[in-house]
Amino acid sequence: MIVSPVFVAGHGGMVGSAVCRRLATMPDIEVMTRSRGELDLCEESQVNDFFSKNRPATVIFASAKVGGIHANKTFPVEFLTDNLRQELATVHASFRNGVGRFLFLGSTCIYPRLAKQPIKEDELLASPLEQTNEAYAIAKIAGLKLCQYFRQQYGVLYHSAMPTNLYGPGDNYHPDHSHVLPGMIRRIHEAKERGDASVTIWGTGTPLREFLHVDDLADAILHLCHLDSPPDWVNVGTSLDVSIFELARLVAKTIGFQGEIRTDPSKPDGTPRKLTDTTLIRSTGWEPKIELEQGIVSTYQCFLKEQDSGKLRSK
Ligand code: GDP
């Protein structure tokens, strides 16, 4: 059962807003949110004040400094520091102020670079990390472990979900710093608008990635928050993957771009494959509902709407 009130940290982001949309359909639950201007989660004293005054019972921690392969490689200091500070402040303030359940968002990109595929939960820390996002991974592993240790040492239900690559409404469409799906949607859309004969995607196009619609993740998060004995961390994905080149073809088909798709091997590929084993979460009664093709179509429609209304995130 989800105990109200629920504080959704990071409600403005893609995951947090999807969780809030889902919680809005549950009239018995009071939802608390704060913008970054109102509450800077990196600032321990602000976080302590917020928790002692507002006393949430449940926390869904969807706040993080995130970015694609380029941003992660360029700003490792900020990815490590900002994420660690937010996690430490929020988990500690939660414990001090009686939060009984804390759902921490990890990510499958914190598994080792050459994790056995499909990736099971016990691959965490089994071998070296992927270099391009090591700083983010170290911060997220620390947060996940902190939740596990609190649960082990103090008996509170602090646990984590490990989503695979996400996409959906409210994504970040920055041309360099975004993840691959929004990056491609924007690049291919702009190529079509200009009438270009070709579009170039990053890397060799051969890496394999799995994609989960963020509404499916929100559904999984609330499902996990209902469990009396959730796993310490659990993968959330589809267990289906696609090559980056095939993904570009799907995006081009959705957008109606008929030009050539070229690759640029001078850009990094990142980890060769990242497919999750979702046996554990499926055994608890959850499964994804949104298929990739259908999800790309609805996400492209959202992209167009966000662009028309001047609300496209691009930072
Ligand atoms: P990753 O899953 O952590 O590696 O991060 P990304 O989502 O940024 O990249 C996934 C893969 O897509 C990598 O192999 C990238 O080289 C490739 N890729 C192709 N085109 C793009 C693009 O426009 N943006 C991004 N971010 N990645 C791209």
Side-chain angles (χ1 to χ4, degrees):
M1 180 178 111
I2 300 182
V3 186
S4 185
V6 178
F7 173 49
V8 181
H11 72 288
M14 180 168 65
V15 174
S17 54
V19 169
C20 288
R21 283 197 296 279
R22 187 78 173 69
L23 284 170
T25 67
M26 302 165 78
D28 298 340
I29 306 263
E30 182 196 338
V31 181
M32 294 173 177
T33 59
R34 290 293 183 276
S35 67
R36 189 170 308 170
E38 291 166 328
L39 171 61
D40 182 348
L41 293 173
C42 288
E43 294 301 331
E44 204 183 334
S45 60
Q46 289 186 28
V47 178
N48 281 330
D49 270 6
F50 168 77
F51 275 81
S52 61
K53 281 193 192 116
N54 297 286
R55 310 290 293 189
T58 302
V59 173
I60 298 177
F61 187 78
S63 174
K65 180 170 177 61
V66 294
I69 195 164
H70 177 71
N72 269 278
K73 266 186 65 166
T74 317
F75 305 109
V77 171
E78 285 74 14
F79 276 89
L80 180 62
T81 317
D82 286 15
N83 283 309
L84 275 179
R85 289 177 70 194
Q86 292 190 27
E87 296 161 11
L88 284 171
T90 314
V91 176
H92 278 105
S94 295
F95 181 67
R96 262 188 238 115
N97 292 284
V99 169
R101 181 176 310 249
F102 191 107
L103 191 292
F104 180 78
L105 258 295
S107 160
T108 55
C109 69
I110 73 178
Y111 283 119
R113 170 179 166 78
L114 298 176
K116 279 192 221 103
Q117 308 285 325
I119 308 171
K120 284 197 181 10
E121 284 78 2
D122 61 9
E123 282 292 313
L124 192 73
L125 292 173
S127 56
L129 298 169
E130 159 63 30
Q131 278 301 311
T132 50
N133 63 6
E134 188 186 77
Y136 176 80
I138 288 177
K140 281 287 170 185
I141 293 170
L144 175 153
K145 283 283 167 188
L146 186 63
C147 289
Q148 183 190 16
Y149 300 150
F150 263 108
R151 184 175 184 179
Q152 186 181 305
Q153 197 173 328
Y154 297 110
V156 284
L157 264 181
Y158 291 11
H159 54 111
S160 305
M162 303 280 263
T164 190
N165 292 33
L166 297 169
Y167 70 100
D171 212 336
N172 176 7
Y173 288 92
H174 189 282
D176 296 325
H177 298 165
S178 68
H179 282 106
V180 56
L181 232 166
M184 275 184 185
I185 289 180
R186 180 165 188 170
R187 181 147 340 113
I188 298 179
H189 170 81
E190 289 175 354
K192 185 190 162 199
E193 298 277 282
R194 287 191 301 263
D196 292 354
S198 68
V199 71
T200 304
I201 60 168
W202 296 357
T204 60
T206 56
L208 295 165
R209 292 290 185 277
E210 173 188 4
F211 295 93
L212 181 73
H213 193 284
V214 71
D215 287 346
D216 270 337
L217 173 63
D219 198 45
I221 287 172
L222 297 185
H223 164 80
L224 290 169
C225 286
H226 276 98
L227 298 180
D228 292 334
S229 188
D232 280 332
W233 64 93
V234 62
N235 294 338
V236 189
T238 61
S239 293
L240 297 169
D241 60 6
V242 60
S243 75
I244 293 300
F245 194 78
E246 185 52 30
L247 182 74
R249 284 179 27 169
L250 277 175
V251 172
K253 184 175 138 200
T254 303
I255 293 177
F257 174 75
Q258 287 169 345
E260 187 192 350
I261 297 169
R262 295 193 182 151
T263 55
D264 175 4
S266 71
K267 294 265 189 340
D269 269 344
T271 193
R273 191 177 193 200
K274 207 166 40 170
L275 180 66
T276 55
D277 184 313
T278 48
T279 312
L280 183 57
I281 192 162
R282 286 174 197 265
S283 75
T284 68
W286 176 87
E287 59 177 37
K289 297 190 182 68
I290 304 170
E291 283 177 9
L292 182 59
E293 276 207 58
Q294 172 203 342
I296 292 176
V297 170
S298 63
T299 301
Y300 181 53
Q301 285 160 358
C302 289
F303 164 84
L304 293 174
K305 267 195 221 133
E306 287 162 23
Q307 199 179 47
D308 283 352
S309 60
K311 288 191 181 141
L312 196 71
R313 257 178 72 212
S314 176
K315 57 179 175 121

